Amino acid sequence: MFDIKEIRSQFPILNQQVNGKPLIYLDNAASSQKPISVLETWQKYYEEINANVHRGIHTLSQLATEEMENSRKKVQHFINAKHDYEVIFTRGTTEGINLIAYSLGNSNFIKKDDEIIISYLEHHSNIVPWQMLCERTGAKLKVIPIDENGILQLDFLDQNLSEKTKIVSVNQVSNALGIINPIEEIIAKVRTQSSALMVIDGAQSVPHFEIDVQKIDCDFFVFSGHKMYAPMGVGILYGKEEILEKMQPFHGGGEMIATCSFEKTTYAGLPFKLEAGTPNVGGNIALGAAVDFMKKVGIQNIRNHENALLEYAQKKLLEIDGLKIYGEKAKRAGVVSFNLEGVGIASDVGMILDKLGIAVRTGHHCTQPIMDFFNVAGTVRASFAVFNTLEEIDALAEGVKKAQRMLM
Ligand code: C6P
């Protein structure tokens, strides 16, 4: 049974007023709120365990190691990775993509005139690391275009995939527009028309979808914990064993060595080769609690509830004269991104909503190419999580109407 009242009671932060109004938190694509179980797991680690992992024979260190490795296993099952050592702890999606780009660049995998394909719908985190790699190696960056609905034009792949293509990296769900990209179709094309590695940015899909990396058959899948009810500063890079094995380490330091001397260092096996330095142990353990939370609520229940919110939000917002939703006709998840005709600055709308206790994100959402495509400086973006309600959508629509009256 999906009991929204019970779910909301698990999020203490919702129980407060902002600017004298009950908080309505609709900025989950930037970072979701955290349930008590996650907060308590994190606090319990610091209160009762707090020790470094994989280093000590003392009890607390052993306990910390056990809890963190247990969390790795939870993530493994959550995304259906074949092995737990294919699950690498990172600081988030950004670090995951940089790790892949840097490490593949150092492995001589990319050479001058090779090609990397991304899409128009990418977050800057899935653009800039590849641009930097192209600058270092002389490879070329190519971009799958979109149509006026924000839908990827996959003919581009038929025309551009070749043996020169070394990496294709796309998101499963766009953060700026919420558009769900057909990654299965993309991967099928990539597999039949090239031998490129397939990277999926799952930052905006993991909070909403059931993920099965073996079924998707991607080579890498990256995401952040903080958008899926876990603390900030933790994330996951999944990679297929045979590819991770061949990759050079990203960072050098403690944890990632097998032997170290001034003459030569040899590297540890997976996952440690790619996890140099002291990890965010408390955060990594709390990520496991976030997985437990999502599984307990039921990922399909989360999806159904958020789909109902999205459909309702779209209907209510489109009743407002002069409101344009970007990607309105595309299949979407968790996000509605819009502007009001005649209101040039999205942040003006955001500031009025904030005075009403409603938190949304405004601006370019770290996706400037999408904003350029639609010829806007930014949009207003409301993004949903499992604890949001239809009443909150009503309040959003009323708030937008108020902003329209005040700004026109
Ligand atoms: N998008 C948003 O408001 P980090 O910052 O590393 O946790 O995630 C980066 C990132 C990468 N890809 C996608 C699709 C994303 O949505 C994000 C983060 C937030 O949309 C903050 S800019």
Side-chain angles (χ1 to χ4, degrees):
M1 249 284 282
F2 185 81
D3 180 352
I4 185 71
K5 248 186 156 171
E6 196 278 319
I7 285 170
R8 286 181 71 79
S9 73
Q10 296 185 49
F11 288 84
I13 204 168
L14 300 178
N15 217 359
Q16 66 171 303
Q17 306 234 316
V18 168
N19 294 319
K21 301 278 190 313
L23 169 64
I24 296 179
Y25 188 81
L26 299 174
D27 195 17
N28 294 288
S31 198
S32 68
Q33 298 304 348
K34 323 301 175 204
I36 296 170
S37 56
V38 168
L39 300 173
E40 284 180 350
T41 301
W42 185 82
Q43 192 172 352
K44 188 165 173 259
Y45 163 76
Y46 279 107
E47 280 181 358
E48 298 177 16
I49 302 178
N50 189 38
N52 215 324
V53 286
H54 301 125
R55 285 160 171 82
I57 49 120
H58 65 82
T59 303
L60 292 189
S61 175
Q62 301 265 340
L63 252 179
T65 304
E66 212 172 278
E67 296 263 334
M68 195 176 97
E69 290 310 313
N70 193 20
S71 177
R72 194 192 303 274
K73 286 201 170 67
K74 285 182 187 177
V75 174
Q76 177 205 346
H77 299 307
F78 183 59
I79 61 172
N80 195 29
K82 206 168 182 181
H83 306 290
D84 59 356
Y85 51 79
E86 293 176 320
V87 172
I88 312 293
F89 286 119
T90 66
R91 286 192 299 134
T93 310
T94 305
E95 188 175 75
I97 298 173
N98 276 280
L99 188 160
I100 301 167
Y102 181 89
S103 179
L104 290 179
N106 272 8
S107 311
N108 239 352
F109 177 78
I110 300 273
K111 300 190 191 66
K112 193 170 176 299
D113 297 327
D114 282 343
E115 293 176 356
I116 297 171
I117 298 182
I118 58 171
S119 93
Y120 228 101
L121 289 183
E122 301 313 315
H123 185 278
H124 296 164
S125 295
N126 200 22
I127 301 174
V128 185
W130 304 120
Q131 265 173 341
M132 290 162 70
L133 179 57
C134 287
E135 276 163 21
R136 285 209 308 276
T137 57
K140 288 196 184 70
L141 191 67
K142 291 188 156 184
V143 184
I144 307 171
I146 48 175
D147 70 7
E148 68 284 1
N149 296 308
I151 296 171
L152 294 183
Q153 300 301 285
L154 296 190
D155 299 357
F156 179 89
L157 286 177
D158 300 325
Q159 289 142 21
N160 285 277
L161 280 168
S162 74
E163 281 313 308
K164 278 189 181 173
T165 318
K166 288 293 150 72
I167 295 166
V168 177
S169 187
V170 294
N171 62 44
Q172 191 169 12
V173 173
S174 139
N175 67 311
L177 309 181
I179 292 177
I180 303 170
N181 291 316
I183 55 164
E184 292 80 3
E185 197 183 336
I186 294 172
I187 293 178
K189 283 182 188 291
V190 169
R191 296 289 184 231
T192 50
Q193 298 174 52
S194 76
S195 45
L197 294 179
M198 190 70 226
V199 182
I200 302 293
D201 171 351
Q204 300 291 346
S205 57
V206 168
H208 312 292
F209 292 13
E210 192 140 345
I211 304 296
D212 183 336
V213 290
Q214 292 189 70
K215 190 159 161 227
I216 296 171
D217 188 30
C218 52
D219 297 300
F220 297 101
F221 190 98
V222 287
F223 58 98
S224 303
H226 68 98
K227 298 174 198 295
M228 52 160 286
Y229 311 104
M232 289 186 178
V234 299
I236 294 294
L237 158 68
Y238 156 81
K240 278 188 183 160
E241 177 184 6
E242 60 270 26
I243 299 163
L244 293 178
E245 284 288 3
K246 286 189 203 131
M247 281 165 64
Q248 291 294 308
F250 178 38
H251 292 147
E255 253 321 271
M256 51 75 73
I257 60 112
T259 61
C260 176
S261 72
F262 290 120
E263 289 71 39
K264 179 158 177 65
T265 292
T266 57
Y267 304 132
L270 294 173
F272 309 113
K273 178 177 83 172
L274 297 169
E275 289 182 351
T278 299
N280 182 348
V281 181
N284 290 344
I285 294 172
L287 177 61
V291 167
D292 290 341
F293 167 79
M294 289 183 70
K295 280 181 139 174
K296 194 160 174 220
V297 177
I299 293 162
Q300 195 53 47
N301 288 334
I302 296 174
R303 181 106 194 255
N304 293 345
H305 178 67
E306 289 170 347
N307 278 347
L309 293 170
L310 180 59
E311 218 173 278
Y312 187 64
Q314 177 133 326
K315 176 176 161 290
K316 293 297 285 185
L317 290 171
L318 286 175
E319 284 167 14
I320 300 170
D321 266 353
L323 186 144
K324 175 182 164 74
I325 293 178
Y326 299 91
E328 183 200 325
K329 302 227 157 53
K331 224 169 135 206
R332 304 202 316 283
V335 165
V336 58
S337 201
F338 60 93
N339 270 320
L340 289 168
E341 202 184 315
V343 176
I345 305 176
S347 59
D348 287 350
V349 179
M351 276 188 308
I352 292 170
L353 291 174
D354 180 53
K355 291 278 171 278
L356 301 169
I358 304 171
V360 293
R361 183 171 174 186
T362 59
H364 58 60
H365 315 297
C366 300
T367 56
Q368 283 190 356
I370 302 180
M371 300 300 129
D372 292 345
F373 178 86
F374 287 108
N375 204 18
V376 291
T379 70
V380 182
R381 183 187 71 180
S383 52
F384 311 119
V386 67
F387 51 75
N388 290 123
T389 65
L390 296 174
E391 292 74 28
E392 290 181 325
I393 306 288
D394 286 332
L396 170 71
E398 287 311 308
V400 173
K401 282 186 211 161
K402 182 167 182 184
Q404 190 175 44
R405 286 195 298 276
M406 289 172 73
L407 296 169
M408 304 265 298

Short mmCIF file of all heavy atoms in Angstrom, two decimals, residues 45 86 104 147 384:
data_model
loop_
_atom_site.label_atom_id
_atom_site.label_comp_id
_atom_site.label_asym_id
_atom_site.label_seq_id
_atom_site.Cartn_x
_atom_site.Cartn_y
_atom_site.Cartn_z
N TYR A 45 26.75 5.74 12.12
CA TYR A 45 28.12 5.44 11.73
C TYR A 45 29.08 6.34 12.51
O TYR A 45 30.07 5.87 13.10
CB TYR A 45 28.34 5.61 10.22
CG TYR A 45 29.80 5.70 9.87
CD1 TYR A 45 30.60 4.56 9.87
CD2 TYR A 45 30.39 6.92 9.60
CE1 TYR A 45 31.95 4.64 9.61
CE2 TYR A 45 31.74 7.03 9.34
CZ TYR A 45 32.53 5.89 9.35
OH TYR A 45 33.87 5.97 9.11
N GLU A 86 32.39 -4.55 -9.47
CA GLU A 86 32.11 -3.68 -10.63
C GLU A 86 31.47 -2.36 -10.17
O GLU A 86 31.19 -1.48 -10.98
CB GLU A 86 31.17 -4.38 -11.62
CG GLU A 86 31.80 -5.59 -12.30
CD GLU A 86 30.82 -6.33 -13.20
OE1 GLU A 86 29.64 -6.47 -12.80
OE2 GLU A 86 31.21 -6.76 -14.28
N LEU A 104 40.35 6.36 -19.52
CA LEU A 104 40.42 5.85 -20.90
C LEU A 104 41.44 6.65 -21.69
O LEU A 104 42.17 6.10 -22.53
CB LEU A 104 39.05 5.91 -21.57
CG LEU A 104 38.00 4.92 -21.05
CD1 LEU A 104 36.68 5.11 -21.79
CD2 LEU A 104 38.48 3.47 -21.19
N ASP A 147 14.97 17.46 -31.86
CA ASP A 147 13.96 18.24 -32.60
C ASP A 147 13.31 19.25 -31.65
O ASP A 147 13.72 19.37 -30.49
CB ASP A 147 12.95 17.31 -33.28
CG ASP A 147 12.03 16.61 -32.28
OD1 ASP A 147 12.09 16.93 -31.06
OD2 ASP A 147 11.26 15.73 -32.71
N PHE A 384 10.10 16.28 -9.12
CA PHE A 384 9.32 15.57 -8.11
C PHE A 384 10.06 14.41 -7.48
O PHE A 384 10.94 13.81 -8.09
CB PHE A 384 8.03 15.04 -8.75
CG PHE A 384 7.31 16.12 -9.53
CD1 PHE A 384 7.09 15.97 -10.90
CD2 PHE A 384 6.90 17.29 -8.91
CE1 PHE A 384 6.46 16.98 -11.62
CE2 PHE A 384 6.27 18.29 -9.63
CZ PHE A 384 6.06 18.14 -10.99
#
